[in-house]
Amino acid sequence: ICTTDQRVNDNVIDYLRYPSRIFPIGRLDRDSHGLLLLTSDGSIVNPILRASNAHEKEYKVRLDRPCDDAFLRSMAAGVPILDTRTLPCRVTRTGQDSFRIVLRQGLNRQIRRMCEHFGYEVVDLERVRIMNIALGNLKPGQVRVLTSKEVRDLKALLDR
């Protein structure tokens, strides 16, 4: 669970047992997996999370059944959920029942709700990129420190 609250069982900090104090930047839904940025630098948290900055987050999605191109175009155009319409996004087919989606906003359970609007259920959702940071080959529970180039590029994106 993406919280630093030690009273919550299965919190991400206890799970990782990282040797110094860190906290997550944003969160992943309980039913999702993939890239989660953690930091000890509080100065970057708000600029990354601020919706008005529209930073890209990329996900791999697998549905409960095959989808057609009209569905993918509709997803990319924006979908009415949570009393608003999602921003246009990039959607690329990766299989009969799967696609990649790049969002610039982060509404609660956004991808799942977008798919549900069209009668699909998400059976697997993996975040593979946040801004310039990619998950790569990391397995669940694995941690790696960002390279100095990744940190420089991240800060340059935040300064825009």
Side-chain angles (χ1 to χ4, degrees):
I1 298 173
C2 293
T3 182
T4 57
D5 187 342
Q6 300 291 307
R7 298 170 295 183
V8 174
N9 288 337
D10 299 327
N11 70 73
V12 67
I13 303 305
D14 286 347
Y15 176 79
L16 293 176
R17 296 189 178 122
Y18 200 74
S20 60
R21 185 178 179 279
I22 55 172
F23 47 94
I25 301 174
R27 54 184 297 276
L28 277 171
D29 292 335
R30 181 187 265 300
D31 298 330
S32 303
H33 60 103
L35 180 63
L36 180 64
L37 293 181
L38 298 127
T39 186
S40 59
D41 179 1
S43 70
I44 67 168
V45 175
N46 286 334
I48 290 175
L49 294 179
R50 192 171 298 121
S52 61
N53 288 340
H55 297 303
E56 288 189 348
K57 293 169 284 302
E58 184 173 357
Y59 299 81
K60 291 185 347 186
V61 183
R62 189 167 51 86
L63 301 171
D64 60 334
R65 64 183 191 282
C67 60
D68 59 20
D69 290 339
F71 162 76
L72 297 177
R73 284 191 303 274
S74 296
M75 288 283 287
V79 179
I81 62 169
L82 299 173
D83 298 324
T84 190
R85 185 168 193 86
T86 60
L87 296 175
C89 58
R90 289 196 319 268
V91 179
T92 308
R93 177 182 296 284
T94 57
Q96 286 188 329
D97 64 350
S98 59
F99 60 93
R100 283 183 173 254
I101 186 168
V102 179
L103 302 177
R104 292 182 155 270
Q105 69 186 132
L107 301 175
N108 180 264
R109 299 177 61 83
Q110 180 172 344
I111 296 168
R112 292 178 191 281
R113 290 177 195 269
M114 290 170 72
C115 293
E116 286 168 8
H117 176 80
F118 297 104
Y120 291 91
E121 181 183 341
V122 173
V123 295
D124 190 54
L125 181 60
E126 179 181 29
R127 184 163 55 202
V128 295
R129 182 174 62 86
I130 299 173
M131 299 170 65
N132 65 307
I133 311 299
L135 177 63
N137 294 322
L138 285 180
K139 303 291 182 233
Q142 282 187 308
V143 176
R144 76 167 179 85
V145 175
L146 297 182
T147 66
S148 56
K149 180 181 182 340
E150 286 173 320
V151 172
R152 275 192 317 275
D153 291 350
L154 179 66
K155 288 184 176 181
L157 288 169
L158 294 175
D159 287 339
R160 287 185 182 172

